[in-house]
Amino acid sequence: MLEIIKETLIELVEKQKMTDKMTDKMTDKMTDKMTDKFKERIEILIKYLGQNDSISNKEAQSLLGISEATAKRFLNSLVKENLLEAVGEYKVRKYIKK
């Protein structure tokens, strides 16, 4: 039982380190360019990707309360900044953290 708890804690620490790394990377590259709304969206996305391996355009729309076109622009801007990787074609495209 203690071994399971230990493994779970180690896994949580590793996920937190990855989230912190992604946050630092985003902050370094994008701070000067961001509006408050964009920063809020980034924070929400970081939390989501801390718990999930990827996000789709539809998931981003629902999570952030934005249109399909806005979600596409937002996610593509993160791909352009080399923070996410786009995998798949159009409607089935997923965005994974790098």
Side-chain angles (χ1 to χ4, degrees):
M1 181 69 169
L2 287 176
E3 189 62 34
I4 294 171
I5 294 171
K6 179 181 173 185
E7 289 174 11
T8 303
L9 287 174
I10 290 171
E11 186 177 314
L12 289 172
V13 168
E14 290 301 316
K15 283 184 178 182
Q16 184 62 46
K17 285 180 183 178
M18 180 166 282
T19 300
D20 291 347
K21 182 179 176 183
M22 188 172 178
T23 302
D24 291 344
K25 194 174 185 180
M26 286 180 176
T27 301
D28 291 345
K29 287 187 174 187
M30 302 178 76
T31 300
D32 295 336
K33 299 180 196 177
M34 287 193 230
T35 64
D36 288 339
K37 190 181 289 188
F38 193 81
K39 287 179 187 178
E40 289 175 23
R41 290 176 181 164
I42 291 286
E43 289 174 11
I44 293 168
L45 184 68
I46 288 170
K47 287 179 186 175
Y48 182 87
L49 289 174
Q51 298 172 352
N52 301 279
D53 293 331
S54 66
I55 190 166
S56 68
N57 184 297
K58 283 221 180 279
E59 291 167 331
Q61 290 173 52
S62 176
L63 182 69
L64 302 171
I66 56 179
S67 71
E68 180 179 358
T70 302
K72 184 176 179 180
R73 283 191 306 272
F74 175 69
L75 293 168
N76 284 333
S77 71
L78 299 178
V79 170
K80 185 177 178 182
E81 292 293 331
N82 206 28
L83 301 172
L84 295 178
E85 180 180 348
V87 178
E89 294 293 323
Y90 305 107
K91 299 253 182 212
V92 296
R93 182 167 287 164
K94 292 280 188 180
Y95 297 86
I96 57 174
K97 53 191 170 187
K98 282 195 166 190

